[in-house]
Amino acid sequence: MRPTRALIDLDALRHNYHIAQQRHGGHLFAVVKANAYGHGALACAQTLSWDADGYAVAFLEEALALRGSGIKQPILLLEGIFDPTELFEAARHGFWPVIHHPAQIEMIVKTDLPAPLRVWLKINSGMNRAGFPLGDTRRVWRQLMVSGKVEECGLMTHFARADEPECDATTQQIHAFDKATRGLPGARSLANSAAILAWPDACRDWARPGIMLYGADPIPGEGNGLCPVMTLESRIIAVRDLPAGEPLGYGARFIAPRPTRVGLVAIGYADGYPRSAPDGVPVAVDNKLTSLIGRVSMDMLTVDLTDLPEAGIGSIVELWGKQVSVNQVAQSAGTIAYELLCNVKRVPFIWNKSD
Ligand SMILES: *Cc1c(COP(=O)(O)O)cnc(C)c1O
């Protein structure tokens, strides 16, 4: 079998959850949408089942999978419901849909439901992606309450720039949200991971940490004590000596500036390692740092072993994990850790046991 795998450290996941808890206080929805950012939604949800106050997913099917695996806590549907049947199912299973659009209110008013609903009303406080206008907050809240279908209504918003501690957009969003919701009853939920770490003013009744649970700091370099959960690793499967001046790989992107010992690694962009990674991105070979050289291919990539004479066929290569930060790979490749983590595929996943 090809020696390539994603190792998922579930103890690290619990460690990171506890950091979120300490930093925020109150309750947390552990965000496990998109298969827990590529880490395995069921394994991650079950690992946190003693700790998590609730979970958040993007849509109904993701929530049903969690319920089906025995998860008892509240589950927030971040995109809400898409049709009356979904609304019915959400009520039946006790999921908490986010209500961010008038069509969803209309569905609530018109659909006979098997149980009272608990919803979260999403206010657009400045990101301008989803949510009701600030000025509509009271009217929409009243519409929900007089529908007779809603037993509790939380109030939430989402930040566009919480990962920029020097930028006052988040403060403005917090103030706008507070002003629009002043006096209304109900729990508040504002903070994503970056806000939990950088904006104590955003800490209210419930937070929604995602990326920080997986150990990628949303504000790289802050030293928040997060522990990477995923290690993506493979092995050296061939070695070759490349004379100075010789090209390496597709497009001859890399030309050996000196006699270069090249290690061939059994992982490529079809596994989720970014093809856009340039020469020089760090990789760890047998726990020593070196770099990617040459363009990443579909099933393979090449690394520089010139200064690692001990390394050879069979050496373990960490593409990201506890030695190579996924943030650093993402930054070099012109993307974010979220995208890299969500995109790992074709490789076997191994979850460590957590007690
Ligand atoms: C995905 C998501 C989160 C989690 O964000 P992180 O940056 O991963 O912490 C929180 N809130 C909403 C509305 C989301 O869509």
Side-chain angles (χ1 to χ4, degrees):
M1 192 182 175
R2 191 171 70 134
T4 304
R5 50 200 197 154
L7 306 170
I8 307 297
D9 180 350
L10 295 170
D11 295 325
L13 179 71
R14 290 186 67 196
H15 166 85
N16 297 333
Y17 183 92
H18 292 142
I19 290 183
Q21 215 167 28
Q22 283 157 15
R23 296 290 286 264
H24 184 267
H27 298 297
L28 304 183
F29 292 111
V31 181
V32 294
K33 64 189 178 190
N35 198 28
Y37 293 45
H39 293 69
L42 301 188
C44 291
Q46 275 159 4
T47 298
L48 296 177
S49 65
W50 287 102
D51 302 278
D53 306 297
Y55 296 89
V57 296
F59 49 85
L60 184 75
E61 286 84 348
E62 292 184 326
L64 288 170
L66 294 188
R67 269 290 180 273
S69 80
I71 292 297
K72 303 276 185 261
Q73 284 94 328
I75 304 176
L76 181 67
L77 309 178
L78 290 165
E79 282 182 342
I81 37 85
F82 301 93
D83 60 44
T85 312
E86 286 208 353
L87 178 62
F88 188 93
E89 286 301 298
R92 193 157 77 88
H93 290 278
F95 300 147
W96 297 359
V98 169
I99 304 299
H100 60 81
H101 191 270
Q104 294 171 324
I105 308 244
E106 203 177 319
M107 276 183 234
I108 291 176
V109 171
K110 289 189 173 157
T111 311
D112 284 327
L113 295 177
L117 270 178
R118 181 150 177 195
V119 303
W120 286 80
L121 177 57
K122 184 167 184 174
I123 308 302
N124 168 26
S125 59
M127 184 174 184
N128 297 329
R129 181 181 66 170
F132 290 92
L134 291 160
D136 289 0
T137 306
R138 275 154 219 284
R139 187 179 57 76
V140 173
W141 182 85
R142 228 174 294 117
Q143 259 182 314
L144 283 169
M145 296 326 269
V146 301
S147 73
K149 313 274 174 67
V150 173
E151 67 175 356
E152 263 189 89
C153 180
L155 297 162
M156 67 178 277
T157 195
H158 192 49
F159 299 125
R161 305 181 69 178
D163 57 342
E164 299 173 63
E166 310 299 323
C167 166
D168 74 346
T170 301
T171 304
Q172 285 174 20
Q173 283 197 259
I174 296 170
H175 287 155
F177 174 85
D178 284 344
K179 188 165 163 236
T181 57
R182 190 159 297 135
L184 291 178
R188 274 33 176 194
S189 176
L190 281 68
N192 57 1
S193 298
I196 289 170
L197 296 169
W199 300 95
D201 278 359
C203 296
R204 304 295 166 89
D205 305 290
W206 285 84
R208 308 182 304 271
I211 194 73
M212 71 179 292
L213 298 181
Y214 308 103
D217 202 316
I219 310 170
E222 288 288 293
N224 284 307
L226 299 172
C227 184
V229 175
M230 182 191 293
T231 298
L232 183 62
E233 69 169 42
S234 183
R235 285 180 193 262
I236 303 282
I237 56 167
V239 176
R240 101 178 37 244
D241 288 307
L242 201 61
E246 280 291 310
L248 172 62
Y250 283 118
R253 181 179 78 181
F254 179 84
I255 311 275
R258 56 172 178 169
T260 301
R261 198 163 162 260
V262 180
L264 183 64
V265 185
I267 190 167
Y269 63 77
D271 305 294
Y273 191 88
R275 182 175 175 281
S276 51
D279 294 334
V281 173
V283 297
V285 177
D286 286 342
N287 304 314
K288 296 195 184 77
L289 286 179
T290 179
S291 41
L292 175 79
I293 48 175
R295 198 169 272 168
V296 175
S297 352
M298 187 181 287
D299 315 306
M300 288 176 267
L301 55 78
T302 38
V303 298
D304 189 350
L305 300 181
T306 314
D307 298 326
L308 302 177
E310 312 282 291
I313 291 177
S315 289
I316 294 181
V317 181
E318 179 185 299
L319 288 314
W320 60 68
K322 297 191 185 354
Q323 304 167 79
V324 176
S325 124
V326 67
N327 271 325
Q328 202 179 342
V329 179
Q331 221 156 31
S332 316
T335 181
I336 53 175
Y338 299 71
E339 189 181 28
L340 294 188
L341 295 171
C342 285
N343 273 345
V344 175
K345 50 192 179 289
R346 199 174 72 162
V347 310
F349 275 66
I350 297 165
W351 294 272
N352 74 343
K353 289 215 176 50
S354 169
D355 41 36

